[in-house]
Amino acid sequence: MQEKIDPYTAEINAFSPANADELETFRIKFLGTKGLIKDLFEEFKTVGPEEKRIFGKVLNQFKQLAEAKYTELKETIDSGPKTQDQDKDLTLPGDGLNLGSRHPLTLVRNEIIDIYKRLGFVVAEGPEIEDDWHNFSALNFPEEHPARDMQDTFFIKKNSGQDDIALRTHTSSVQVRMMEMGKPPFRAIMPGRVYRNEAISARAHCFFHQVEGLYVDENVSFADLKQTLYHFVQELYGEGTKVRFRPSYFPFTEPSAEMDISCTICKGAGCNMCKYTGWVEILGCGMVDPNVLENCGIDSKKFTGFAFGMGIERIANLKYVIRDLRLFSENDVRFLKQFQTEII
Ligand code: PHE
């Protein structure tokens, strides 16, 4: 029996597997249920008592040798050369996804839309390239009105010979389109980009964004206008924000007004933002001029309406205290990142 075991002892000592498969073959050969050691133990049962004493010890040592070798090799193979993935701690938190944020003007526009939606206003949109009729004439602008002047309006030269095509200067043009196409009642807001020929500075830009609104029905009064805008301001800037209306002039409304709110920064005490008056102007408004209703085919004896219009940049300035209008269109991520929103 000793002679049988010796070469195997040498084999075991010299064994150095290249991979886990070779080690498994080794296990099956020596330690498996039909392996060599099992056989030797079977054979051991047949020897006489004197030999049992001697070979029992030898056989046990041999078995321990094979088992120890296997355990040792198994450990080195398991923790052996690692792939890249095994190097990583998979329980570590992942890198955060760089989520974008909504543009402050989008945030404010959405907020304005939400408030008016709750009051039953729908959203209407129209083209940014307009003709004179929809941008000016239907809205009762006199022929010689300065707003039609090249100073304010970007006209678009067309080969067709039509020379009254321009970038819209306000979204009131959408009101005209809406009234022309449908029948009263109308209750809608018109968000959108508008263009004016102004030198770009901290306080003016050649384009900006508006939300205008229109409500036309029987018996719509100035009281409805005031209450609607008052409610809007309470929702947008919080309960207790004061409003005041100052008489004004727009060709398309009569009477017309501008609405101020108590300064959102100093709450009326006086600050840089409100030029120490305690009030800031946020929108223009008025009762739709009967001429405008008639221009759009609406019976001005039967229907009345109110309209209003505000610049989204102005509303955003008062909300976020942004002192330079140019920031809104420069796409500087350091600026834009500050308006992180919940993304759902
Ligand atoms: N269209 C006006 C503007 O762009 C705003 C306005 C709309 C005023 C409706 C009164 C009524 O300044």
Side-chain angles (χ1 to χ4, degrees), residues 116 211 225 229 232-233 245-246 250 257-260 280-285 307-311 314-315:
Y116 281 103
V211 177
L225 165 65
L229 294 179
F232 165 68
V233 167
F245 291 81
R246 284 178 291 104
F250 299 101
E258 275 168 332
M259 189 177 84
D260 298 340
V280 282
E281 183 207 318
I282 65 158
L283 55 80
C285 58
F308 58 87
M310 67 193 96
R314 178 104 187 104
I315 307 286

Side-chain angles (χ1 to χ4, degrees), residues 181-193:
M181 282 187 321
K183 282 197 170 70
F186 299 104
R187 190 154 47 179
I189 49 169
M190 299 81 189
R193 179 176 287 186

Side-chain angles (χ1 to χ4, degrees), residues 18 34 41 51 56 68 73 82 85 91 102 105 108 120 126 132 158 175 180 191 239 282 302 309-310 319 339:
K34 289 177 187 151
F41 271 95
E51 284 170 310
L73 289 173
K82 290 171 185 165
D85 272 357
T91 62
R102 288 204 202 286
L105 294 179
V108 171
D132 178 277
K158 287 235 304 181
Q175 304 184 12
E180 276 177 342
E239 293 283 321
I282 65 158
K302 191 165 175 211
M310 67 193 96
K319 229 176 152 62
F339 304 91

Side-chain angles (χ1 to χ4, degrees), residues 139 141 169-172 175 194 196 208 210-213 250 252-253 256-257 283-287 306-310:
L139 288 160
F141 276 81
T169 60
H170 51 186
T171 59
S172 304
Q175 304 184 12
V194 301
R196 290 187 196 174
F208 62 99
Q210 282 191 321
V211 177
E212 294 216 353
F250 299 101
F252 35 89
T253 46
S256 305
L283 55 80
C285 58
M287 299 306 291
F306 68 71
F308 58 87
M310 67 193 96

Side-chain angles (χ1 to χ4, degrees), residues 236-307:
L236 189 70
Y237 290 112
E239 293 283 321
T241 310
K242 290 194 198 118
V243 302
R244 75 176 184 191
F245 291 81
R246 284 178 291 104
S248 185
Y249 171 77
F250 299 101
F252 35 89
T253 46
E254 183 61 36
S256 305
E258 275 168 332
M259 189 177 84
D260 298 340
I261 60 169
S262 49
C263 180
T264 52
I265 310 301
C266 64
K267 306 278 174 251
C271 70
N272 207 359
M273 181 68 99
C274 60
K275 299 199 193 79
Y276 299 93
T277 62
W279 295 95
V280 282
E281 183 207 318
I282 65 158
L283 55 80
C285 58
M287 299 306 291
V288 181
D289 193 298
N291 287 341
V292 175
L293 294 174
E294 295 293 339
N295 284 341
C296 300
I298 292 166
D299 183 354
S300 63
K301 302 255 168 0
K302 191 165 175 211
F303 295 102
T304 51
F306 68 71

